[in-house]
Amino acid sequence: AVEGWHLARTGRSAAAAPALSMALAAIAVAAALSALFAVRRDRAALESVAEELRASEKQAAGITSISVDAIITVDEGQRILLFNHGAETTFGWSAGDVIGQPLSLLLPERYHAAHARHIERFGTGPEVARRMGQRQEIAGRRKDGTEFPAEASISRLDLPGRRLFTVVLRDVTERHRQLSDEHFLAEAGVSLSESLDYESTLVSAVHLAIPHLADCCVLDLVGEDGTIRRIPSVHDDPDRTKRLRELEARGEAPSNWPFPVATVIASRSPVTQQYSAAADPARPALAASLAQLGMERLTSLPLVARGRMVGVLTLICTDAARLFDAERLRVAESVSKLIALAIDNAGLYRTAQHATVARDEVLGAVSHDLRNPLAAITMCARVLTEDASVANRDELLGAIIESAAMMNRMIQDLLDVATIESGHFRVDPSPQRLDDLLERVLEMTRSAAAERLVDVRGDVAASLPDVLVDSTRMIQVLANLIENAVKFTESGGRVSVSAARRADRVEVAVSDNGVGIPADHLPHIFDRHWHSRRSGRTAGTGLGLAIARGIVEAHGGRLRVDSTEGRGSTFSFT
């Protein structure tokens, strides 16, 4: 180019001038080098941009891979292009299985058409993104076919010649379960507070966990004597309900068959185990029936209120697919605390009701029983006031003293039974000869027995050892039992008092051939004022047997009764 320019200006070739030729060569080399350096700068810039792009892609891929949410990218044909690790965990598919597959693979079939229309509208609409919370919940379908609730955000990316949609999806199953558990516990509290009736509370308690935590339940109540009362629930299947009803029991000792009740009572900790169909040799028919119940798994929970073991609630799963994980156990323990408190409160309410009834009975008994001696005192005092020199003055004074003594005994009975029931009753034992005590009591009661023409006899074995008793209180027990026997024995009847050695103890028995006690009355014979519910009310507070039992138990013994209506009764204690 330079050569052509020189020839045009001078008419001579540049080659003819050596200096000029060298200059032209230098210019050409400089231009070539400049062009080379420019190419290298452009290439370095391109490589830098490419490196930054690769770094950006790696960063995006890293963020996508560590996200616990499912991130899925699809094209306009809703074919899956990106399926991150969170999506693999959520849906159970591997990325290799679903890349290139339609998005409908991840949706319940009933939503396929509606979802396709939704994507089409979103692709042509003005919005390029919708966040979680701006859309209603959707449902996903896992590889195993199970469905789950989810919420999702979606974005649209328009590129030259194509359009991409990216979804960030979150499984909200756990959130739904937590809300469901909170609702269940709230409803459980309401249900248990609807009634303080004891039996109604028990029925509500045994059905409360169905179906949220179990398919059926069994409630084992611990009685004051340590025995178990077992109450089963119903089941959706009537035949299984019949099997459950066979579990009803009362008065049994705690055991680990068919449920680990004894272990839970001892440890006060829940026990979860697969059901074992091991037979009970003592109850083969019940074991066979339980095998047909179809129990898969059970969880027995302690019911503890105010530090006291109320009972054990056993949650039974007959559906093998029912989930019972650590979270389910936490909810079960929460509801078991509510049930324990409800049963305890209902028990306290029942006790308060019984105390109210007892108070009314005491007031009725006192008002009735004190009226007679009080009337006698009033009448005698009035006669003496009107005529101090009346002929039978000493007899009237004696009646006043006797009536006052009777009132004093009634008041003392009330004080005794109150002390016994409060747990503050005490005895002062010392070695005593039992035959001497019996002789004193027979002497005290012989006059009343003679008035009724009842023969009272003693039969004390020879060489009885001394007994460690509170003599005053033991005389009170014996007098009460003998007077009671005389009271309910017809004229011409017989009352016998015997004492004999039984191993390291002495057994005393008071027997009569009187009217006896009906079988349905026997469980209540030591209740306060029980005689007020028997035919032919007799004088007294009706507290004698309750006090006698309290005194015997304070000595470490036990008062028992054996009676046949129409043939007589025997009260014995050691």
Side-chain angles (χ1 to χ4, degrees), residues 121-445:
R121 286 195 300 270
F122 179 70
T124 58
E127 293 180 295
V128 296
R130 291 180 185 172
R131 299 184 182 89
M132 290 185 185
Q134 294 180 329
R135 307 176 62 202
Q136 64 181 9
E137 285 188 358
I138 62 174
R141 185 179 67 179
R142 306 186 203 277
K143 183 178 181 179
D144 61 7
T146 58
E147 297 183 12
F148 63 93
E151 61 181 16
S153 60
I154 185 171
S155 66
R156 185 183 73 216
L157 179 61
D158 292 319
L159 298 173
R162 62 175 180 162
R163 175 177 290 158
L164 303 179
F165 299 94
T166 297
V167 175
V168 179
L169 180 140
R170 181 172 299 158
D171 184 349
V172 294
T173 299
E174 188 59 31
R175 183 196 303 170
H176 275 218
R177 192 163 74 168
Q178 290 175 356
L179 292 174
S180 177
D181 289 342
E182 291 173 3
H183 178 73
F184 163 69
L185 291 174
E187 288 294 317
V190 172
S191 177
L192 290 170
S193 65
E194 288 179 348
S195 174
L196 280 172
D197 179 75
Y198 189 71
E199 293 300 322
S200 297
T201 299
L202 297 182
V203 173
S204 178
V206 77
H207 290 92
L208 196 64
I210 305 169
H212 191 78
L213 294 172
D215 299 306
C216 53
C217 298
V218 172
L219 175 62
D220 287 276
L221 286 176
V222 179
E224 293 182 0
D225 59 355
T227 61
I228 293 296
R229 175 190 173 187
R230 180 169 298 139
I231 306 170
S233 72
V234 299
H235 194 283
D236 285 342
D237 181 354
D239 185 63
R240 287 178 172 176
T241 296
K242 293 179 182 178
R243 307 294 181 190
L244 285 166
R245 290 301 183 207
E246 296 177 24
L247 287 170
E248 289 183 359
R250 187 188 292 266
E252 294 185 355
S255 70
N256 285 325
W257 191 91
F259 312 120
V261 172
T263 297
V264 173
I265 290 175
S267 66
R268 296 197 172 192
S269 299
V271 174
T272 297
Q273 64 185 39
Q274 294 297 120
Y275 174 69
S276 173
D280 182 355
R283 292 172 287 186
L286 179 57
S289 183
L290 286 180
Q292 297 178 33
L293 185 59
M295 291 185 284
E296 294 285 343
R297 182 179 58 257
L298 57 89
T299 298
S300 294
L301 302 144
L303 303 179
V304 181
R306 296 184 296 121
R308 184 178 71 89
M309 176 61 70
V310 175
V312 176
L313 178 68
T314 299
L315 310 179
I316 302 172
C317 297
T318 57
D319 181 1
R322 178 183 285 275
L323 175 67
F324 200 93
D325 55 10
E327 186 62 25
R328 300 291 86 199
L329 179 59
R330 184 193 65 80
V331 177
E333 289 179 317
S334 296
V335 79
S336 69
K337 293 176 182 177
L338 294 177
I339 290 174
L341 289 174
I343 294 176
D344 186 59
N345 287 338
L348 292 174
Y349 179 71
R350 182 178 64 172
T351 300
Q353 284 184 310
H354 289 172
T356 301
V357 172
R359 179 202 63 193
D360 294 341
E361 289 179 341
V362 168
L363 291 175
V366 168
S367 64
H368 183 281
D369 295 329
L370 291 182
R371 186 177 289 116
N372 291 334
L374 183 60
I377 291 173
T378 303
M379 181 187 69
C380 293
R382 183 179 296 114
V383 172
L384 289 172
T385 301
E386 294 174 353
D387 185 2
S389 62
V390 67
N392 58 345
R393 179 177 180 273
D394 290 343
E395 182 180 343
L396 293 175
L397 289 174
I400 290 175
I401 293 172
E402 183 179 348
S403 297
M406 181 182 294
M407 294 177 66
N408 183 64
R409 286 197 301 273
M410 291 180 180
I411 293 171
Q412 188 58 50
D413 282 350
L414 292 172
L415 294 175
D416 283 346
V417 78
T419 305
I420 290 170
E421 292 190 349
S422 68
H424 297 131
F425 187 77
R426 297 290 183 271
V427 293
D428 184 18
S430 62
Q432 301 287 333
R433 288 184 57 84
L434 188 56
D435 51 353
D436 290 344
L437 295 179
L438 289 176
E439 185 58 36
R440 289 168 60 184
V441 175
L442 291 174
E443 186 64 31
M444 291 169 54
T445 58

